Amino acid sequence: MESKLFNLSLTLKVIVGISIMLWTFIALFPLLWVLIMSIKLPVDSFAANPLNVIIGPNTLKQVGGLSFINLMFLCLSIYIYFKFFKSRENYFLKINNLTNNKLISFLLLILIFIALFLALFLFLNTHIANFLNNFFEYVPFLKILSKPLIGFTTKHFIAVWAENEFYKQFLNTAFVTLGVVTISLTVGTLAGYALSRSNTMIAFWLLVAALVFRALPHSVLVTGYLELFIDYGLYGKKIAVIILLVAINQPFTIWMLRSFFMNIPQDLDDAAQIDGCNPFQAFWMIIMPLMWPGVITTGLFSFLLAYNDYLVCALLLDGQSQTMVPAIMQYFNMETTMTDLVESIAAAASITLPLFILVMFFQKQIVSGLTQGSVKG
Amino acid sequence: MNKKTFLIFTMPSFIMMVFFIAIPLFLVFFQSFHFKQDILEIVEREKCDPFGCKTEILKVPVLDEKGNRSKINIWVGWENYKNILKFEDLNSIIQNNGYSWSAIQSIDFYKALRFTLTFTFITLPFVLIFGLCLALCVNNLVNRLKGPVIFITLLPFIITPVIGSLSIKWLFIGDGIITSFLEYILEKDISVFAKAWSIELLVLFYKIWHTTPFAFVIFYAALQTVDKDRIEAAFVDGANRFQRLRYIVIPHIMPLIVFVTLIHLMDAYRVFDEIVGFSAEGFLNSLQWMTYDFLRLDDSGSRYIGRASATSMLTMIGIVIILIPVLRRVFKEQKEKRN
Amino acid sequence: MKKLFILFSVIASFALIGFSSAKACENKNDVPLTSLSAGFDAWKVVTSAMEECGNFTPTLDQDYKDKIVAALDSNPSQYALAGVSASTNVSVLDAGLTRPLDDLIAKHGGALQDNQKVTINGQVMAIAMMTNAQHLFYREDILNDLGIDVPTTYDEVIKAAKIIQNAGVVDYPLGGTFAAGWNLGEEFINMYLGYADTFFDENMPAVNNANGYETLKMLKKLTEYMDPEYLTSDSTYVQQQFQQGKIAMANLWASRAGAMDNAEESSVVGLVKFASAPTTIRGGKPASTLWWDGVVIAKNISDEEAEAAFKLAMVGLDPSNLGESPEAAPWISSAFDPAPSNIGAVMTAKGGAAPYPASAKMSTLHGVLGNTLPDYLTGAATAKATLEKIEADYITAATEKGLL
C-alpha cells in the first residue's frame, strides 16, 4: 500500500527531474557565469559566443590556462576538502580529547581548515600541478594531459585585492559585521529570553512594536538620523553604522531568539532558581549553553544583514571606512576601460565567495532559522 | 519571571529600539513639515579660471568664523507633501487625459508607487507557486540529492541583492551572453536595457529568483510535518495526487503561506537594492529609492531632507496598510488567550 | 608546521605586492594622504605619479561628485586632496570646504603657470591642470569611404549619420553620452548653448522657450542613430563603442581622445580623428562647454597634512610627468607640445564655445535636467510637458534650498 502511495508515476518522475534540473541551472547560472568571466581576459569575458567565454581562446593564447591535470587536481582538492568537511565532527572530538577545551578545539579546527585549504589550493594546485605539467610535456603520449584547456588568469583578482587594495574594504566589512553580530546577539538574547518567559501585556506590546519596526524601510530611519550624525561628526565612522544596523536588526533578532528560547522548557529556569541562582545566573549558566544552535542561527542572519547592506553604508560611510558592497558600485564607476570592468566582476566574485562558504558550512542552521521563525511566528 | 527582572533584561533592546527607531520616526515626521536650508547671503564674487575672469553676484552660504555653514529649519506646513503628491498636476492630467496611467506616471511619486506595488504584488503569486512546486519536487527526490539541491537553492537567497542584480544585469546588458543568444535565435537586435518594460521584467524576475528559495525552505519544512495517515486515508478513499494536494496538504500549510506572504510583502515593498544593482534609475523608481535619491547629495552638494522626510512618511502609510490585517489577527489571538 | 609556514608566506607575499609598486620618487612623502577624484585617464596619470612617492591612497570614482561635499565636510575631512571640475569646485567652494593656496604656492608652487591658478576674489582656491570639452570624434576612414565631409553643424551630423546607416558599415552611426543623470543633463546644456546664451532670467529658470524646444528636438533626432541603450551610455561606454569599432561619430570628451590609439584596448588605432564640436546654427558657436579640472586641498585637515598634500600634488602635476602622457588630456602646460589628439578641444575653444557657467543655480538645474529628460527621450512625455516639468522641478528644488 505505502509503496504504491508514495511512488511517482514515470511522467511525474520525469517532470520532477526536469524541474529540479531547470531550477538548479537557473539558480546557479548567473553566479557561475560571474566566476567564469572573472578568470578570463576581458576580450574573452565579453565574447558573444558562450563557448568562447568558457574556454577563453585569447586567454589561452596570451596567458595560459588550466590543463587536464590542473582540472583533475582541482576536482581532487574539492573532493578531499569536502570529505574532510563532512567528518568535521569526528575531528573536532579527536582534538577535544587532546585539549579538553571546547573553544580552543574549535579555533584549532578552523585553523586546520584554513591551512588545509591553502595547502590544497595554493600548493597542490600550483606547484605540484605545474611540476607535473612541465614533466608531462616531455612524455610523448601524455603530452596532451598538460595542454591548457580552459583559459585562466588570476590577474584581475590580484589587481582588485593588491593594487586596488580591496582588502581594506574587506577589513571594514569584517569590522562592521563583527560589531553588528556581537552587539545584536548580546542585546537580543537578553530580550528574547525575557520575552519568551513573560506573558504580560508589556511583552505583547513590545513584540507588536518589534513587528511593526521590522517592516520599516531602512531609508526612513536613515532620513531621521542622517543630519544628526553629520552634525555630530559621525559621518564616515564605522561605529555609527554598526549602531544603526544593530538597531534596524533588533526586531528581527528578538523575534527569532524568542522562538528559539520558547523551545527550552521553563522547568529548567524554575529548577535553577530553586537551586539558588538569580535570574541572570540561570540565564547565563543554565539556559544559554543549550541555546548555542539558536544563537549561531540568529548570528548568521545578523551577519547577512550587515554584510549585504548597501543603503546605510552608502549614505554614511566613505573613503577609508567604506565597506565592500557600496565599494563595488563605486568600483563599477571607476571603470574607464574593459579591464576595469572585468576587475569589478572579479570584485563581485570576491564578495560572493564568503557567502558561498557560509552556506556550505551553515546550511543546516540557515534552514532551521528560517523554519523556526515561521513555525512560531 | 517577575516584572523587575523582565524590565532589566529587555531594557537594552528597548532603549535601542526607542532611540534608533522610534525617535528617528518622530524626527522624520517633524522634518517633513520643514525646509532645512543653509543661511544664504548675497555676495559679489570675482572668479578667474583658465578661461578668463568674471564678476558675478551670487547667493552663497554664510560661513561662521570657523568656516562652517549653518542651517535653519523653516516651517512650511504641507509644502513638502504638496511638492511630492503634486495634486494640481494630477488634476490637470486627469482632466486632460482621463485616468491614463502612463500620463499620471509622469509625476515621480506615482511612478514610484506604481512600480513598488507592481513589484510587491506581482512577484507574490510566482514566489508562492514556485516555492511550493520546488518543495514538492525536492520532497520526492532521492535522499542523497536533497542536500546538494538545497545548497544550490539557498544561494540566490543568500547572495547580496546588489551583487545578485549585477550578475543578472551582466548577462543581459549590451552584448551580454543571454542577449546575444536571444539575438542569435530570433535573428533581430535586442536591447534589453533600452526600454523600461524589459528592465522591469528583469527586476521582477530577479526578485522571484531571490525569494523562491525562502518560500521553498519554509514549505519544504512544513511538508515534512504533513500527517501521513490522513494522506493514506485519502488515497484509500480514491483521491488522486492533486486532490490530496488540494484538500490536505495546502490547508495544512496555509498558516505558512500566510507567513511567507507577509514577509515577502514587507520585504518587496522596500525595493531599492535591485534598482541600484540594475542601474535602472533612469527607468524605474520605487518609494524607497525616491527617499534615497533625496538624501543623496545633488550636483550642488545639498540634500533635500524635507522632501525625503515627506516621502518616508508616505511610504510608511503603505506599510501600515499592509500590516493592518496581521495586527488585527494578532490582537484577536491575544484577546482569546487572555479570556 | 609546514602548512603554517606556507600560510604566513602567502600572506607576506600579498603584502609585498602592495608595497613593491612604489618606484623612485625624489621627494618621498611621509604623511599618509588620500584623494578623491574622477576616474578617467588623466587622473590616473596624476595619481599614479603621486603614488610613487608613497603613503598615498587615491580613490578614483566617476561618481565622486555624489560624495565630495559630505566627504570634505566631515571633520577631519575624509580626503586631503580632491580633484574637482569647474562645477564641483563651486559646490565645495560655496560650502567653505577648501583652503586658500597662496601661501603654499609661494613656498612650493614655483612651477605653476598663472593661468593654472583659479582665484576667487584674488585668493587662489584651486589649481587647474587640464581643460576639457566635448567635441566631435569621427572615423576618418568611414567618412572618406562614403565621401562625407567632416560635419560642422548638427544638421550635417544627422545627414552623415543617415548615409552611414544606409551603408551599414558600423553597428550604429552615432554614439552619445546620454546616460540618465549628469551626462544627459550635460548634453542638454551643451546643445542649448548652441541656440542661446543663458538659462536663467534673474533667479528664475528660462528654458521653456523656442530654444529649449529646438534643443529637445535635436537631442531626440540624434538618438535615432544611436545604440537603443543610450540611457545607460556614459563616456566610458561610448569610448568602448569607438574602440570596438561599433560607432562612427560621437561628441565625446577630449580626455578620452588618447584612448582611441591605445593599442591594448582599441581596434581602431589611428582611424579616429577629432574636430570642433558641431554648431547648431550655421556660423554660430559650437554647441559645447569648456571645462577645467584641477586639484583642491581640504580645509578640515591639519596644516602639516595640507603642506604635504600640496607638495605631493606638485609632483603629480609636474610638467615632466604630464609630458609623458600628452594624449591623456588637454593639459594646461606650455612646457611641452600638445598631442595631436587635443586638436578637437582647441578648435572648440577657438570656435567660441562658452565655459560651463558654474554656479549653485546651474548645478541644481543640471540635476533636474538629468532626471527629467529620460522620459522625453523614451517618448513617455511631450517636449512641452518636459520643459514645463524642468522649470517646475527646478523651482521646487531651489525653493527648498533657499535659492529662490
Side-chain angles (χ1 to χ4, degrees):
Chain A
M1 244 330 167
E2 250 205 55
S3 57
K4 231 202 222 170
L5 174 66
F6 293 112
N7 251 350
L8 294 174
S9 65
L10 186 62
T11 28
L12 271 182
K13 268 199 189 136
V14 168
I15 294 181
V16 167
I18 293 183
S19 311
I20 298 282
M21 280 200 297
L22 200 64
W23 166 253
T24 46
F25 179 72
I26 294 179
L28 211 45
F29 182 67
L31 306 169
L32 213 58
W33 203 252
V34 165
L35 187 64
I36 292 178
M37 279 206 285
S38 63
I39 52 175
K40 303 278 190 301
L41 287 180
V43 183
D44 287 328
S45 302
F46 298 110
N49 184 344
L51 278 175
N52 276 348
V53 182
I54 298 180
I55 297 187
N58 290 300
T59 318
L60 278 176
K61 240 188 292 179
Q62 291 176 28
V63 190
L66 300 173
S67 67
F68 180 76
I69 293 180
N70 284 105
L71 291 172
M72 214 175 62
F73 270 112
L74 200 63
C75 295
L76 190 69
S77 314
I78 295 180
Y79 179 72
I80 293 178
Y81 205 73
F82 206 59
K83 271 271 144 109
F84 186 77
F85 176 72
K86 276 212 161 147
S87 28
R88 64 190 187 276
E89 278 159 21
N90 288 341
Y91 287 106
F92 180 73
L93 289 171
K94 281 192 196 153
I95 300 175
N96 209 19
N97 283 337
L98 291 172
T99 59
N100 276 325
N101 183 332
K102 276 216 175 130
L103 189 63
I104 295 190
S105 318
F106 182 66
L107 291 174
L108 268 178
L109 189 69
I110 295 206
L111 209 63
I112 293 183
F113 263 106
I114 298 179
L116 184 67
F117 174 81
L118 290 167
L120 281 177
F121 291 98
L122 287 170
F123 189 69
L124 187 71
N125 276 301
T126 49
H127 294 295
I128 303 218
N130 284 343
F131 174 73
L132 280 178
N133 272 332
N134 291 332
F135 181 71
F136 278 1
E137 263 193 56
Y138 297 108
V139 179
F141 291 114
L142 298 173
K143 191 167 170 193
I144 195 162
L145 288 178
S146 65
K147 180 170 168 225
L149 289 174
I150 297 184
F152 177 81
T153 172
T154 50
K155 73 177 224 184
H156 304 305
F157 285 96
I158 295 180
V160 168
W161 284 87
E163 287 165 22
N164 291 320
E165 298 184 340
F166 201 57
Y167 65 85
K168 285 194 185 162
Q169 275 108 18
F170 174 74
L171 290 173
N172 285 333
T173 307
F175 181 78
V176 169
T177 319
L178 199 66
V180 169
V181 170
T182 42
I183 300 181
S184 229
L185 287 178
T186 313
V187 177
T189 44
L190 292 170
Y193 174 66
L195 287 170
S196 70
R197 295 293 186 254
S198 165
N199 257 327
T200 62
M201 279 310 276
I202 300 184
F204 172 71
W205 282 111
L206 216 62
L207 283 172
V208 168
L211 180 67
V212 175
F213 287 163
R214 189 202 177 286
L216 286 180
H218 302 173
S219 59
V220 174
L221 303 175
V222 179
T223 313
Y225 257 108
L226 192 59
E227 291 265 293
L228 236 82
F229 274 9
I230 292 178
D231 288 340
Y232 285 102
L234 286 173
Y235 177 82
K237 302 283 192 305
K238 294 193 275 282
I239 293 287
V241 168
I242 290 179
I243 295 180
L244 199 51
L245 284 175
V246 169
I248 289 177
N249 198 25
Q250 269 309 91
F252 178 76
T253 315
I254 294 178
W255 268 98
M256 192 170 250
L257 283 169
R258 171 179 174 264
S259 66
F260 276 111
F261 273 116
M262 297 204 20
N263 280 339
I264 300 181
Q266 207 148 347
D267 310 330
L268 284 172
D269 298 39
D270 300 335
Q273 295 219 6
I274 293 176
D275 282 347
C277 293
N278 65 37
F280 189 73
Q281 285 170 322
F283 168 74
W284 183 244
M285 292 194 279
I286 310 291
I287 308 290
M288 277 306 289
L290 297 173
M291 264 296 288
W292 282 115
V295 168
I296 292 178
T297 307
T298 316
L300 263 177
F301 283 92
S302 300
F303 171 86
L304 280 177
L305 177 102
Y307 191 88
N308 288 345
D309 174 73
Y310 176 83
L311 181 72
V312 178
C313 293
L315 282 173
L316 281 176
L317 291 179
D318 190 16
Q320 298 307 301
S321 58
Q322 189 64 279
T323 51
M324 281 202 290
V325 176
I328 198 192
M329 291 313 291
Q330 176 187 305
Y331 211 106
F332 202 46
N333 291 325
M334 196 185 89
E335 46 107 350
T336 54
T337 62
M338 261 208 290
T339 316
D340 289 328
L341 182 55
V342 177
E343 285 178 10
S344 64
I345 294 180
S350 309
I351 296 180
T352 313
L353 201 61
L355 295 176
F356 193 83
I357 296 176
L358 200 80
V359 180
M360 200 164 80
F361 272 76
F362 292 109
Q363 181 177 323
K364 275 217 190 88
Q365 279 81 4
I366 295 176
V367 172
S368 90
L370 289 174
T371 51
Q372 268 289 2
S374 67
V375 168
K376 295 302 192 307
Chain B
M1 173 171 285
N2 64 27
K3 210 168 204 173
K4 193 173 129 212
T5 329
F6 174 79
L7 283 176
I8 296 178
F9 269 72
T10 55
M11 196 53 72
S13 259
F14 181 68
I15 291 181
M16 205 160 242
M17 290 209 289
V18 163
F19 263 95
F20 292 98
I21 303 185
I23 290 189
L25 275 182
F26 279 115
L27 285 178
V28 168
F29 180 70
F30 176 79
Q31 197 59 44
S32 67
F33 297 107
H34 292 78
F35 280 168
K36 200 159 210 186
Q37 298 174 348
D38 292 329
I39 304 177
L40 297 173
E41 61 181 349
I42 302 183
V43 295
E44 192 179 294
R45 180 191 276 178
E46 191 207 15
K47 183 167 70 172
C48 290
D49 61 20
F51 305 118
C53 290
K54 199 162 76 156
T55 311
E56 42 191 2
I57 302 185
L58 306 161
K59 258 190 181 175
V60 294
V62 173
L63 302 175
D64 60 20
E65 328 83 51
K66 280 204 240 152
N68 297 327
R69 296 170 289 173
S70 34
K71 294 196 190 296
I72 47 170
N73 247 352
I74 305 178
W75 170 268
V76 291
W78 294 105
E79 196 65 30
N80 281 319
Y81 290 95
K82 278 198 231 165
N83 284 336
I84 299 283
L85 292 171
K86 293 205 178 141
F87 286 127
E88 294 142 9
D89 290 354
L90 191 63
N91 272 331
S92 66
I93 288 179
I94 294 181
Q95 274 172 9
N96 292 339
N97 305 356
Y99 283 96
S100 151
W101 204 220
S102 51
I104 295 183
Q105 279 189 88
S106 64
I107 304 177
D108 288 331
F109 178 75
Y110 301 105
K111 184 175 172 190
L113 183 67
R114 199 276 309 163
F115 174 70
T116 309
L117 291 177
T118 310
F119 186 81
T120 310
F121 289 105
I122 292 199
T123 48
L124 180 64
F126 288 99
V127 166
L128 290 176
I129 295 176
F130 286 157
L132 187 58
C133 290
L134 202 60
L136 289 169
C137 287
V138 173
N139 212 18
N140 286 309
L141 266 188
V142 176
N143 274 333
R144 280 197 75 184
L145 283 180
K146 282 186 185 171
V149 169
I150 296 183
F151 170 71
I152 295 179
T153 309
L154 278 178
L155 286 175
F157 179 67
I158 300 291
I159 300 297
T160 320
V162 170
I163 306 278
S165 314
L166 276 176
S167 63
I168 293 197
K169 172 182 163 195
W170 283 324
L171 292 176
F172 283 93
I173 195 169
D175 283 332
I177 202 75
I178 295 193
T179 313
S180 306
F181 184 65
L182 288 173
E183 283 180 355
Y184 177 73
I185 296 186
L186 300 173
E187 285 182 10
K188 66 180 217 178
D189 272 336
I190 301 181
S191 300
V192 178
F193 279 76
K195 296 265 186 255
W197 63 264
S198 47
I199 298 186
E200 193 166 334
L201 272 179
L202 215 53
V203 174
L204 291 174
F205 167 75
Y206 166 76
K207 190 62 175 174
I208 298 173
W209 182 76
H210 172 79
T211 317
T212 301
F214 172 70
F216 157 75
V217 168
I218 306 247
F219 292 154
Y220 177 71
L223 284 179
Q224 311 307 310
T225 64
V226 170
D227 192 352
K228 289 221 167 75
D229 297 331
R230 285 191 68 194
I231 301 259
E232 242 187 83
F235 179 73
V236 168
D237 284 347
N240 67 27
R241 190 167 284 274
F242 294 106
Q243 285 169 323
R244 295 200 300 265
L245 180 69
R246 192 170 150 211
Y247 291 111
I248 301 181
V249 177
I250 291 194
H252 176 80
I253 62 175
M254 189 52 87
L256 292 164
I257 294 182
V258 171
F259 174 74
V260 171
T261 306
L262 177 70
I263 301 286
H264 176 78
L265 289 180
M266 284 203 290
D267 281 342
Y269 190 75
R270 299 191 278 213
V271 53
F272 167 77
D273 290 45
E274 291 79 0
I275 297 187
V276 171
F278 280 100
S279 302
E281 306 96 65
F283 296 96
L284 303 173
N285 203 348
S286 79
L287 290 174
Q288 193 168 214
W289 169 264
M290 232 178 128
T291 313
Y292 171 79
D293 201 26
F294 285 131
L295 287 179
R296 281 199 301 186
L297 294 172
D298 76 348
D299 288 314
S300 66
S302 27
R303 297 192 166 87
Y304 298 105
I305 300 279
R307 275 186 289 167
S309 309
T311 318
S312 299
M313 295 313 305
L314 292 170
T315 310
M316 285 272 294
I317 294 181
I319 294 282
V320 171
I321 295 179
I322 290 178
L323 281 180
I324 284 180
V326 178
L327 288 176
R328 267 185 23 204
R329 174 184 292 195
V330 169
F331 277 116
K332 234 197 305 182
E333 278 176 13
Q334 181 72 358
K335 242 197 207 164
E336 285 166 14
K337 241 205 244 175
R338 297 233 125 203
N339 291 344
Chain C
M1 216 58 256
K2 189 176 181 193
K3 292 175 186 172
L4 278 177
F5 174 72
I6 297 170
L7 169 68
F8 283 129
S9 57
V10 164
I11 294 179
S13 54
F14 263 110
L16 276 176
I17 293 176
F19 286 127
S20 63
S21 51
K23 287 184 278 189
C25 162
E26 284 168 7
N27 302 319
K28 282 251 176 282
N29 173 43
D30 300 320
V31 182
L33 295 171
T34 52
S35 79
L36 172 69
S37 67
F40 51 88
D41 263 351
W43 286 110
K44 288 187 182 172
V45 168
V46 171
T47 52
S48 51
M50 291 158 77
E51 276 183 291
E52 287 179 21
C53 293
N55 271 318
F56 175 65
T57 317
T59 303
L60 300 171
D61 183 355
Q62 287 291 81
D63 277 344
Y64 76 100
K65 47 178 120 40
D66 288 346
K67 355 170 16 183
I68 189 170
V69 171
L72 262 50
D73 202 6
S74 66
N75 207 337
S77 165
Q78 299 283 323
Y79 304 97
L81 289 151
V84 296
S85 66
S87 80
T88 39
N89 183 44
V90 168
S91 310
V92 293
L93 190 68
D94 281 351
L97 301 175
T98 54
R99 56 173 62 212
L101 302 173
D102 301 86
D103 295 337
L104 292 168
I105 292 181
K107 269 204 258 177
H108 309 284
L112 290 176
Q113 297 169 199
D114 275 340
N115 65 348
Q116 281 185 281
K117 301 175 190 171
V118 177
T119 64
I120 305 291
N121 293 337
Q123 270 189 325
V124 179
M125 299 303 288
I127 311 279
M129 66 188 201
M130 58 180 263
T131 60
N132 211 352
Q134 279 186 283
H135 60 81
L136 187 67
F137 285 43
Y138 62 94
R139 287 278 300 274
E140 191 182 36
D141 54 325
I142 295 182
L143 291 192
N144 282 346
D145 286 344
L146 297 172
I148 311 174
D149 288 330
V150 179
T152 53
T153 72
Y154 268 105
D155 287 326
E156 288 175 16
V157 169
I158 302 232
K159 271 197 223 140
K162 222 178 271 190
I163 300 176
I164 297 175
Q165 192 176 54
N166 290 337
V169 288
V170 278
D171 291 6
Y172 309 99
L174 291 180
T177 53
F178 275 52
W182 192 88
N183 285 294
L184 192 52
E186 177 66 10
E187 287 299 313
F188 182 93
I189 291 173
N190 284 347
M191 191 67 76
Y192 185 88
L193 285 174
Y195 294 102
D197 283 331
T198 57
F199 294 88
F200 294 97
D201 177 16
E202 295 287 327
N203 281 325
M204 295 295 281
V207 293
N208 188 3
N209 50 33
N211 295 323
Y213 184 68
E214 290 299 316
T215 309
L216 287 182
K217 258 190 18 190
M218 182 60 78
L219 289 176
K220 192 157 197 185
K221 243 193 282 185
L222 290 172
T223 64
E224 290 166 22
Y225 298 97
M226 293 185 197
D227 180 340
E229 289 181 355
Y230 54 81
L231 284 179
T232 54
S233 153
D234 60 358
S235 343
T236 306
Y237 191 78
V238 179
Q239 173 191 307
Q240 287 170 358
Q241 282 182 314
F242 257 120
Q243 289 174 321
Q244 293 161 26
K246 291 189 180 155
I247 57 178
M249 295 187 288
N251 213 32
L252 194 57
W253 291 98
S255 46
R256 304 283 178 160
M260 298 293 118
D261 290 337
N262 177 359
E264 278 182 34
E265 307 254 341
S266 171
S267 54
V268 296
V269 176
L271 300 176
V272 181
K273 294 286 182 265
F274 317 102
S276 159
T279 68
T280 49
I281 310 167
R282 181 167 293 282
K285 59 178 168 40
S288 185
T289 42
L290 302 177
W291 289 74
W292 60 265
D293 286 79
V295 172
V296 293
I297 298 194
K299 194 172 62 179
N300 292 342
I301 56 176
S302 68
D303 290 337
E304 298 80 46
E305 281 179 293
E307 186 162 357
F310 187 83
K311 280 161 61 181
L312 197 59
M314 289 299 104
V315 170
L317 300 184
D318 194 72
S320 58
N321 176 43
L322 304 183
E324 284 178 26
S325 326
E327 73 293 336
W331 303 111
I332 301 175
S333 182
S334 49
F336 52 86
D337 293 326
S341 54
N342 291 336
I343 186 82
V346 170
M347 298 305 294
T348 308
K350 274 217 181 108
Y356 180 82
S359 69
K361 285 192 304 194
M362 199 63 213
S363 304
T364 312
L365 182 62
H366 196 141
V368 167
L369 286 167
N371 289 334
T372 326
L373 289 170
D375 275 348
Y376 169 71
L377 292 177
T378 56
T382 64
K384 178 162 166 291
T386 306
L387 290 170
E388 285 172 3
K389 185 161 196 254
I390 291 172
E391 294 204 341
D393 282 352
Y394 174 83
I395 293 175
T396 311
T399 316
E400 188 171 345
K401 273 201 275 201
L403 285 176
L404 271 179

